[in-house]
Amino acid sequence: MTEEDLLAEGDRRALTYIRSATERRPFPDNDALNGLVAFNEPLPNQGLGEAETLELLDRFGSPATVASNGPRYFGFVIGALLPAVAAADRLALAWDQCASSHDTSPACAAVEKVAARWVLDILDLPRESGVGFGTSATTGTIACLSAARRTLLGRAGWNFDRHGLAGAPEIRLVLSAAAHITVKKAARLLGFGMAHVVEAPVDNHGRVDPARLPALDESTILCLQAGEVNTGEYDPFKEIIPVAHEAGAWTHVDGAFGLWARASNRRSLTTGIEGADSWTTDGHKWLNTSYDSAIAICRDANALAQTMNSDAVYFNASNDAQKNVTLEFSRRPRGIGIWAALRSLGREGVAALIERHCDYATHLADRLRSSGFDVINRVAINQVLVRCETNEQTLAVRQAVLDSGRTWFGLTQWQGRPAFRLSISSWRTGIEHIELLVEALIEARAAVQAAR
Ligand SMILES: *Cc1c(COP(=O)(O)O)cnc(C)c1O
């Protein structure tokens, strides 16, 4: 096959898959899962052919995918993929750019620079901030916490780049007691030591309680969050951040999905967030860009660039070159999908996407409440936490819904008891899919109760 025919074949199969996105089972059935043994081949000595390789991937891989790029998937906070982003990604893949800097790709550097400006604009964060387009909120947090620690040590007269941590003044890390597991991972990787990390107590909604905020000073990094992963709640930024600022602490905000509420009529949930020093968010969750694309934002652009600098003697670039603000050196241009999403949706389209999901979540909560389910959270944004009368019923109802193959959602533990965690994050989800979810839950609950 020629290169052109092979790529056309890839596109044809991709289109066939996308056409079935709406009907696809949200989680593959057992036949599809059993089919995955087809991949357990020995490494071939001689190549097995390009078209056949693609065929195998499609024949056994496609049926065993999770249809998170469909309308009936409510698990985790996994968005679908906007067509404008999918198309731009395809073109950028053909470019195959190493998007390190202007030198390796003028086109990518130019587009990502605009994407950075637009992200700060739509999220209304300090326009002078540095913006890195990396693989995940996890790596964004690693970058931001690294910049935070290096900066606080620098203020204390310690050269971190030269002397590292041995003998350095101690930098304390204060995390919300409801911090996401990946923020803890970042803390662990950076050597803060979980026994040394201080927890900021939270209230019943999972928000840091300002009245019980641990002591902060100029050698403290405080991590808050916009969008608690179960309740979708926001820390009280306008009460806490000025206190942290006054104490000379660095405030970082994990807003992996929740930061996007700032681009909608739910903006007041984020009031005061602009006073922080750094922020992370994802494109691949609520903005519905492709995996893996995320954003690290640091008010002090130089602090981020000096921390993440990877200029080699043979390769110097500006402070806003992406290789100097992200963990990656060679990288694909993750900012292009974000640019395509923002350009094709515009301010109004982004707001409409976020607001629609929030409205659906409120509707879903109302329907479930009036059908006798226990809706636990206040439903601030797109997350709905639900349980049945007993833990056993909660588990059995979820299993019955999953077995029906109509929809998929995950479980969480909230205050020591299991709960459904329903997240509305896909642009493909319409009100009819919310109704379908409600029906599936009501039917499963009736079946479970009848079987008792
Ligand atoms: C998903 C999530 C993260 C981690 O984001 P990744 O892009 O998956 O690394 C961090 N915090 C919160 C609140 C999240 O929901």
Side-chain angles (χ1 to χ4, degrees), residues 37-95:
V37 295
F39 292 109
N40 293 344
E41 306 172 294
L43 172 67
N45 286 327
Q46 275 158 11
L48 292 178
E50 298 160 327
E52 291 85 337
T53 297
L54 180 67
E55 202 270 334
L56 183 75
L57 184 65
D58 192 20
R59 179 142 58 103
F60 295 103
S62 295
T65 54
V66 165
S68 50
N69 194 8
R72 287 179 285 129
Y73 187 82
F74 302 98
F76 307 98
V77 189
I78 294 190
L81 176 55
L82 290 165
V85 178
D89 277 351
R90 266 183 176 60
L91 179 59
L93 204 52
W95 292 352

Side-chain angles (χ1 to χ4, degrees), residues 175-210:
L175 299 187
S176 158
H180 194 262
I181 189 67
T182 59
V183 175
K184 294 179 184 167
K185 172 174 172 175
R188 218 172 61 227
L189 290 179
L190 292 172
F192 281 99
M194 297 319 284
H196 300 285
V197 168
V198 179
E199 268 196 2
V202 295
D203 65 15
N204 275 340
H205 305 293
R207 301 174 307 173
V208 169
D209 179 358

